[in-house]
Amino acid sequence: QAARSTRTIVVAGVPAGLLQDDVIADILTIHFQMSRNNGGDVEEVTYPTRNKGVAYVTFEDQEVVERVLKKDQHLLQDKRLSRLYPLTVTRCDVSSSLIHLIML
């Protein structure tokens, strides 16, 4: 199994304060498991984090990270959200994963 940091993405643009944190984490899990979003099996969603509107999504497989990053646009959509929220998805580099470990 690949190192955790290589299986993790950083997601920005998460709508903060609209719904309960665990509901947002569920919506993110569903989004990144959907094949139409190039997703796959999600191991863990870390939300909330110290950074407002930022979540970490760790996948079972590193290949999923590559697919997710290739998708042009990620729009968070759920009937519990009043509109679509564009997400910015980036690779979790070592420095941000170290920060992430310190936060936990």
Side-chain angles (χ1 to χ4, degrees):
Q1 199 175 30
R4 187 182 174 87
S5 63
T6 63
R7 293 184 289 110
T8 301
I9 55 169
V10 181
V11 182
V14 179
L18 291 181
L19 299 166
Q20 290 178 311
D21 294 339
D22 58 338
V23 173
I24 292 289
D26 284 347
I27 293 170
L28 286 167
T29 302
I30 292 162
H31 175 88
F32 287 107
Q33 282 181 335
M34 285 184 174
S35 55
R36 73 164 186 225
N37 297 320
N38 293 3
D41 291 333
V42 172
E43 184 178 294
E44 186 183 18
V45 171
T46 305
Y47 182 83
T49 63
R50 279 196 185 165
N51 301 323
K52 188 179 175 187
V54 173
Y56 293 93
V57 179
T58 304
F59 295 99
E60 302 275 347
D61 245 320
Q62 189 180 351
E63 289 166 25
V64 180
V65 170
E66 304 308 320
R67 290 203 312 261
V68 165
L69 291 169
K70 280 190 182 112
K71 185 167 165 54
D72 290 339
Q73 192 178 33
H74 284 276
L75 292 170
L76 195 62
Q77 183 177 9
D78 188 273
K79 62 180 183 291
R80 292 165 286 187
L81 295 170
S82 56
R83 63 178 178 87
L84 296 174
Y85 286 86
L87 301 175
T88 306
V89 178
T90 52
R91 197 178 294 279
C92 184
D93 59 41
V94 175
S95 60
S96 64
S97 59
L98 284 174
I99 292 163
H100 174 58
L101 289 171
I102 294 163
M103 291 187 321
L104 290 178

